[in-house]
Amino acid sequence: MTTRFARACCTAWMILLAGVFYAWPATHMYSWAAIGLSGVAGILLGVRVHRPAQRLPWYLIATALLFFVSGDTIYFVQTTYDLGAPFPGPPDILYVLVYPLLAGGLLLFVRARSGDRNRAALLDALVPTVGLGLLSWVYLIAPYTRATDLSLAEKAVSVAYPLGDVLALAILLRLLAAPGPKPVAVRLLSLSIVGVLVSDVVYGLARLNSDWNAGGPIDLGWVVFYGTAGLAALHPSMIMLTRASAPTDAPPTTGARRLALLTLAALIAPGVLLAQHLGGGVVDAPVIAAGSTALVLLVMARVGGLLSEQRRAHHSERALRRATAALAAAAGPDDLLTAIGTAVAAIMPPGEPYTMLTGEPVPLEDAATVEPEVTLEPVDRATAGFPYALHAAMVVPGTPPRRSEIQLAARAGTLRAVRPAVQALFAQVDLVVERIALAAEISRRDGEAYFRTLIQSASDVILIIDDDDVIRYASPSAGAVLGHPDLAGVPLARLVADTHHDELAALLIRARAGDRDGSDLTVVCGDRRLLQVECLARDLRDDPTVRGLVLTVRDVTERRRLENDLAHQAFHDGLTGLANRALFRDRLEQAFAGAASTGTHLGVLFVDLDDFKEVNDTLGHAVGDQLLVAVGQRIAAAIGPRDTAARMGGDEFAVLVADAADAGAAEDVADAGAAEDVAARIVAALGSPVEVSDGLGGSHVVSGAASVGVATSRDASSPTELLRHSDLALYLAKGAGKGSWQRYRNDLQTAMVERLALRTALQEAVEDRQFVLQYQPIVEMRTGTVVGAEALVRWQHPERGLLGPYHFIEMAEENGAIVGIGAWVLREALRQFAQWREESRGLSLRYVSVNVSARQFRQPGFVGQVREALTTAGAQPEWLLLEITESLVLRDAEQVWADLEELRALGVRIAIDDFGTGYSSLSYLRQIPVDVLKIDKSFIDDILAGSRQRALVDAIVTLARHLDLAVVAEGIEDEGQRAVLAAMGCPYGQGYLFSRPVWPAEIPATAAAVVPA
């Protein structure tokens, strides 16, 4: 018996039983039981015949039908035999149990058909459910809750019926909202549920009006409920409701019918509100408001989902465009697979986990084709990590072509969303495969056609060598490159220089052993020239078209020469030609390791030019470079042939001295070691002035004097430590006086650590305002009157006490802290001077002198800082004398002089400090915009003992007087110096003879006292 015949028989049987039920009311009890049991039998028969993957949902529906017909049978028995039909009674319990059974069966169908969570389908089902649930509440449930003639049990059972209907309706709508086609069994099952829902609703309304009797039209819905449930189970499509198949890739439709249904459902709440208003009053306002709110939220959630789908579609479109561009660049199978992986990563939503598996390629038959179809199929979760995957097949180009399977595993919902993009991607892949295959075929044919042409025009020489090492074939380029037009039959060794015969023999042995490496050889050309060539060998003796060793000979003479030149440049200084830092470090490490193994000692010298910055600042970098070249030559001439001289950068040089001291020498060798001898020779060699050209036809005589630090490997455990020791020794030499050398001592490490600690503390000192000012009076030589005071900064160190500028000014210049210190000194000195003027009326002080470093002066806006300091202190510009160095006005002269002119126009006076110690000439004095010259103390110290020194100071004073410049002599310590200067006409003096630097509170008293003339 076929299922079609069974369905026909079931349909006829149900129609017959329905006719009997309506024609003979006396048979209601029997005919109705037959109708219900026939539906149960139809379900059980369908399950037995079709054997679905899951039988439980069908059994739950069959049980629901059995409970329903059992309740009806009990009711008919009670009414037929006048046994009484209490409400609620046993039939009502059976009726209420029908709904959870139906809902359970439908829910299992939903889980089987959807495969995963489908938010859109759920929202589409919830909107009409909420609307119809609102109708059910207003017209079916609420009347029972408000009824006063019903008991609590009667109300609960009466309310349970419509609630069960709403539950069954919600699950049914969720089943129908799932994407994809609806099997016939789904439609029949939906008709069955609709039948029972319609009859239940009409029955509920009739009961409210006490207008219901068995055998009426209402019973037709229940007949449909029984009959179509059995027909659904008997239909072959019933297995699709529980089959473990992949979910469809079609998204939930949003067509006109679904939109109309959702719209009507959303209008239910306002419709009910309007109906109650027209009927005389709104009695369910809270419920209607809650329903409206729920409908609005559900609709907005659905709209949000549509917007998310639109964004995903836009993302997929952009990703597909990028993927197409990546595929277009693929040139081979590996590039193609890489491009596919990159494209899939771009197509997948950001943050979405997935797995892409590529199967092993298998040969593709000539007649076989691969369709670029992408299917959604179940996979092994243990292998792919997900239950479903997109399957696609592609052709791997090559000879022969092969077929490869690609699986993209992810969540089913994600796969449905990206499947169109993946489908389009593999359509592009098919085109790319065809392009690659076509390009390969064209390349193969072109290679065959142009092979001989390429060989003829190749610049490399190709040789085929027989087993006896005799040349069997030589490409035509052999004549142009090697000068031998015909090499057939010539032994290969005859081409190679005698010194490289061993390398040639080793190359041939390796080639016949399977190695494909090469060697550099020297060959003898036909005109007896020597060429350096790169020779690559490959064993093709098994190739029937070759049967020999193939040697590719390339002329690399120029390339090797260029490589050698580049290597020399990489390890040598471009200015001086000496070794650079990298080469010096490499040789030091090698020599250090060798000295450790032989028990000898190394020496390292660090050489730093004294006052090189002054040369650059005053004469320019071109002259400075010429000085560095001359210094490099003198250092190279002073060292031994085994030593290495290097320029480490700037004006720093280093020398590696081999055998700095004998292995058995005493620990305290100071002068006998080779390193000390080299250091003494370098100091002596650099002690003589150097005459250099400025590149403009002129020349300058400058000092190349340097300080040298010496260290030996005796005191160092590593090359790095040896370098550090020599650097520390250089620091000691700088401190001990320029133009000398010093050897490393163990206590230098501690001194350097203290210097670094002081340097670090200097930064904090600026922020913590740890600086104070002392003032040294400036005296008029003729009258002894104190006319000015020079502000001298001191550091009130929290641990070391009061520190003079010798301890920190140089470090402040190096790390830039001098800018902040100088700005503070300027503000504080002006503030203090203004305070003196205000507190001591008639004070002889006319100005305060403030030193300005070159770095501070060159800061943008320095003139503005001076203006601001004057304004803040309430000081007059003529109260301020700024002291600058001689080198400042000789570098960047135009900008510096412009700033000086602006300051003088403001009323501020300018002094050149330490005049005469720089590289300038006196002719500059008539051009420099300054007011005061301060003669350096070094000139004053010898003014009594040296006539030349006295004459020089006299010349400076006389020249300044003619140029209308004031002169201040610094460092006057005894009366004799004062007398000589006064006799020369020097107007002002400063020094310990008059006063040591004093604290601010002492200046008024000091200024009041007159130094005897």
Side-chain angles (χ1 to χ4, degrees):
M1 179 177 67
T2 63
T3 56
R4 180 176 297 179
F5 180 73
R7 294 197 300 276
C9 291
C10 179
T11 303
W13 175 249
M14 284 294 184
I15 294 173
L16 176 62
L17 289 177
V20 172
F21 176 76
Y22 281 103
W24 291 280
T27 64
H28 281 175
M29 180 174 64
Y30 306 105
S31 59
W32 191 257
I35 289 174
L37 293 175
S38 297
V40 175
I43 293 176
L44 296 177
L45 178 61
V47 171
R48 180 177 179 81
V49 172
H50 297 300
R51 301 179 182 277
Q54 298 182 31
R55 302 184 182 187
L56 178 59
W58 292 105
Y59 287 155
L60 290 176
I61 295 175
T63 304
L65 267 62
L66 183 60
F67 278 21
F68 205 105
V69 72
S70 298
D72 287 341
T73 301
I74 294 174
Y75 175 77
F76 281 128
V77 169
Q78 289 175 339
T79 56
T80 300
Y81 295 103
D82 296 325
L83 299 178
F87 180 76
D92 296 293
I93 297 175
L94 294 174
Y95 292 151
V96 171
L97 292 175
V98 167
Y99 299 105
L101 291 171
L102 279 177
L106 294 175
L107 186 60
L108 290 176
F109 288 146
V110 170
R111 290 174 62 87
R113 279 184 56 74
S114 295
D116 68 336
R117 297 172 60 188
N118 194 319
R119 181 173 176 270
L122 178 61
L123 293 174
D124 288 347
L126 285 177
V127 171
T129 299
V130 172
L132 294 176
L134 179 61
L135 284 176
S136 179
W137 173 269
V138 172
Y139 295 107
L140 294 178
I141 299 175
Y144 285 118
T145 61
R146 291 192 290 266
T148 59
D149 56 342
L150 297 178
S151 66
L152 182 60
E154 291 173 337
K155 289 183 179 182
V157 173
S158 299
V159 169
Y161 289 145
L163 287 179
D165 291 334
V166 172
L167 176 62
L169 174 64
I171 306 302
L172 176 62
L173 291 176
R174 175 64 182 86
L175 178 63
L176 294 176
K182 306 297 183 290
V184 176
V186 171
R187 300 176 186 176
L188 292 173
L189 196 58
S190 302
L191 181 61
S192 174
I193 303 300
V194 170
V196 70
L197 295 181
V198 171
S199 292
D200 284 352
V201 171
V202 177
Y203 168 72
L205 294 174
R207 283 198 59 192
L208 288 173
N209 300 322
S210 301
D211 183 20
W212 177 82
N213 291 305
I218 297 176
D219 296 326
L220 281 175
W222 290 317
V223 172
V224 171
F225 171 54
Y226 290 125
T228 53
L231 289 175
L234 289 171
H235 196 277
S237 64
M238 62 91 71
I239 62 176
M240 299 177 64
L241 272 70
T242 57
R243 177 185 296 169
S245 59
T248 177
D249 60 338
T253 59
T254 53
R257 286 186 297 177
R258 179 168 291 201
L259 289 176
L261 177 62
L262 296 177
T263 303
L264 290 175
L267 292 175
I268 289 176
V272 170
L273 183 63
L274 178 62
Q276 287 195 354
H277 173 72
L278 296 176
V282 179
V283 294
D284 295 299
V287 176
I288 296 173
S292 300
T293 302
L295 287 172
V296 169
L297 293 177
L298 290 172
V299 170
M300 293 307 296
R302 187 69 173 93
V303 171
L306 292 175
L307 292 176
S308 298
E309 291 178 7
Q310 184 180 13
R311 285 194 297 270
R312 286 196 295 269
H314 182 61
H315 169 76
S316 297
E317 181 182 355
R318 289 195 306 166
L320 192 58
R321 286 200 300 267
R322 292 195 299 267
T324 302
L327 287 172
D334 293 339
D335 295 342
L336 183 60
L337 292 176
T338 302
I340 291 174
T342 304
V344 168
I347 289 174
M348 293 298 291
E352 184 70 23
Y354 69 93
T355 304
M356 194 175 96
L357 303 176
T358 303
E360 190 68 26
V362 297
L364 184 68
E365 300 296 334
D366 293 341
T369 59
V370 176
E371 294 294 333
E373 183 67 26
V374 178
T375 59
L376 185 62
E377 300 176 8
V379 292
D380 183 7
R381 191 183 187 104
T383 303
F386 298 92
Y388 299 101
L390 292 176
H391 289 251
M394 60 169 287
V395 175
V396 179
T399 306
R402 294 168 296 169
R403 183 179 188 273
S404 179
E405 294 282 346
I406 294 180
Q407 291 183 354
L408 175 61
R411 292 192 308 108
T414 303
L415 295 178
R416 285 199 305 270
V418 303
R419 183 176 180 270
V422 175
Q423 179 76 50
L425 170 66
F426 276 92
Q428 293 292 327
V429 169
D430 189 50
L431 296 177
V432 173
V433 168
E434 293 181 2
R435 176 181 60 78
I436 293 176
L438 180 61
E441 179 65 18
I442 293 174
S443 177
R444 184 185 65 82
R445 294 184 180 182
D446 288 346
E448 293 177 353
Y450 292 107
F451 174 75
R452 286 185 175 81
T453 303
L454 293 175
I455 291 296
Q456 295 290 334
S457 59
S459 60
D460 294 348
V461 178
I462 299 176
L463 305 175
I464 299 179
I465 309 301
D466 288 332
D467 291 339
D468 56 359
D469 296 344
V470 172
I471 300 173
R472 175 162 34 101
Y473 168 81
S475 62
S477 56
V481 175
L482 303 179
H484 296 285
D486 186 10
L487 290 175
V490 176
L492 180 61
R494 187 179 299 176
L495 289 179
V496 179
D498 296 345
T499 55
H500 281 189
H501 280 180
D502 293 339
E503 287 85 346
L504 174 63
L507 173 65
L508 297 178
I509 292 174
R510 291 196 304 271
R512 292 185 175 109
D515 292 341
R516 297 186 178 183
D517 60 349
S519 294
D520 277 9
L521 303 173
T522 300
V523 300
V524 182
C525 298
D527 56 1
R528 309 307 296 172
R529 288 182 299 109
L530 297 180
L531 285 184
Q532 190 170 6
V533 299
E534 182 182 66
C535 187
L536 301 177
R538 185 177 180 184
D539 186 5
L540 294 181
R541 290 177 295 175
D542 295 333
D543 189 327
T545 60
V546 180
R547 298 188 182 280
L549 293 181
V550 176
L551 268 62
T552 303
V553 180
R554 176 174 299 172
D555 182 5
V556 294
T557 304
E558 287 299 318
R559 190 173 77 184
R560 294 293 183 262
R561 184 189 61 78
L562 179 60
E563 289 174 354
N564 292 334
D565 291 345
L566 292 176
H568 183 273
Q569 294 176 15
F571 291 103
H572 290 79
D573 178 54
L575 180 64
T576 63
L578 300 178
N580 62 10
R581 182 185 297 271
L583 180 58
F584 183 82
R585 183 61 189 245
D586 180 67
R587 291 187 179 178
L588 174 60
E589 290 177 352
Q590 294 182 19
F592 195 91
S597 62
T598 60
T600 57
H601 292 295
L602 299 176
V604 169
L605 279 59
F606 250 38
V607 182
D608 186 83
L609 298 186
D610 299 330
D611 301 323
F612 178 73
K613 184 175 183 301
E614 296 294 333
V615 177
N616 269 345
D617 290 346
T618 56
L619 300 179
H621 289 278
V623 174
D625 289 345
Q626 292 294 321
L627 175 59
L628 291 175
V629 172
V631 168
Q633 294 172 350
R634 293 189 181 187
I635 291 176
I639 66 176
R642 297 173 55 195
D643 302 335
T644 299
R647 183 186 176 206
M648 306 297 281
D651 62 335
E652 291 184 348
F653 295 83
V655 177
L656 173 62
V657 181
D659 294 336
D662 296 335
E667 289 290 334
D668 58 351
V669 270
D671 300 323
E676 290 85 345
D677 293 341
V678 174
R681 290 200 301 270
I682 291 176
V683 169
L686 299 181
S688 302
V690 180
E691 183 177 0
V692 294
S693 169
D694 59 5
L696 300 176
S699 63
H700 299 271
V701 177
V702 296
S703 171
S707 299
V708 181
V710 182
T712 65
S713 58
R714 185 190 308 280
D715 302 317
S717 59
S718 67
T720 301
E721 188 176 18
L722 181 56
L723 285 173
R724 186 167 63 249
H725 286 177
S726 60
D727 196 17
L728 291 175
L730 174 62
Y731 166 72
L732 180 64
K734 286 285 188 181
K738 301 177 181 179
S740 64
W741 63 269
Q742 292 290 332
R743 182 170 179 172
Y744 170 76
R745 301 196 310 266
N746 290 330
D747 58 349
L748 284 180
Q749 186 73 26
T750 303
M752 182 56 71
V753 171
E754 292 179 354
R755 177 179 173 85
L756 291 177
L758 200 63
R759 185 187 183 110
T760 304
L762 185 61
Q763 296 288 356
E764 301 175 356
V766 178
E767 300 175 1
D768 296 344
R769 299 182 178 179
Q770 297 176 5
F771 294 99
V772 294
L773 290 183
Q774 289 185 328
Y775 297 86
Q776 187 173 30
I778 300 174
V779 177
E780 186 176 13
M781 302 279 280
R782 182 176 58 82
T783 63
T785 304
V786 177
V787 296
E790 180 178 0
L792 302 173
V793 66
R794 303 291 187 261
W795 182 5
Q796 190 65 52
H797 195 280
E799 297 176 357
R800 300 179 60 180
L802 190 66
L803 300 179
Y806 170 80
H807 295 280
F808 64 88
I809 287 296
E810 182 181 353
M811 288 186 291
E813 290 278 4
E814 292 174 358
N815 63 10
I818 192 65
V819 176
I821 297 173
W824 177 84
V825 170
L826 177 63
R827 294 192 302 269
E828 177 61 20
L830 287 172
R831 184 201 65 78
Q832 183 63 63
F833 191 82
Q835 180 180 341
W836 288 333
R837 298 279 295 189
E838 182 178 356
E839 294 177 351
S840 302
R841 299 296 180 179
L843 195 66
S844 62
L845 284 177
R846 297 199 295 266
Y847 67 91
V848 63
S849 179
V850 178
N851 286 279
V852 179
S853 73
R855 189 164 186 171
Q856 178 187 1
F857 191 92
R858 291 194 182 101
Q859 288 292 310
F862 175 73
V863 177
Q865 293 177 15
V866 174
R867 283 198 183 96
E868 182 181 357
L870 289 168
T871 303
T872 303
Q876 299 298 323
E878 58 268 18
W879 296 352
L880 177 62
L881 175 67
L882 294 179
E883 297 187 14
I884 62 175
T885 60
E886 197 172 357
S887 61
L888 173 63
V889 295
L890 298 178
R891 183 182 178 189
D892 302 330
E894 293 183 3
Q895 182 60 45
V896 171
W897 291 8
D899 290 343
L900 292 175
E901 291 287 4
E902 186 174 356
L903 287 170
R904 294 185 72 204
L906 184 64
V908 176
R909 295 191 303 153
I910 307 298
I912 295 183
D913 193 19
D914 300 335
F915 180 78
T917 59
Y919 286 92
S920 66
S921 64
L922 296 178
S923 62
Y924 274 103
L925 290 178
R926 56 189 179 88
Q927 303 176 24
I928 300 175
V930 296
D931 304 279
V932 179
L933 298 181
K934 298 193 73 174
I935 303 175
D936 187 67
K937 182 179 182 298
S938 61
F939 291 93
I940 308 303
D941 288 342
D942 298 331
I943 196 170
L944 298 178
S947 58
R948 298 180 63 183
Q949 197 81 341
R950 189 163 54 251
L952 180 59
V953 173
D954 188 29
I956 294 175
V957 172
T958 303
L959 179 62
R961 186 167 53 251
H962 288 305
L963 295 177
D964 199 21
L965 298 177
V967 178
V968 178
E970 296 181 297
I972 302 175
E973 297 183 354
D974 59 50
E975 183 60 34
Q977 294 172 338
R978 172 183 171 173
V980 171
L981 289 168
M984 292 179 182
C986 179
Y988 303 105
Q990 178 181 353
Y992 284 2
L993 174 65
F994 308 114
S995 174
R996 291 177 177 270
V998 297
W999 294 109
E1002 302 176 52
I1003 284 295
T1006 304
V1010 177
V1011 179

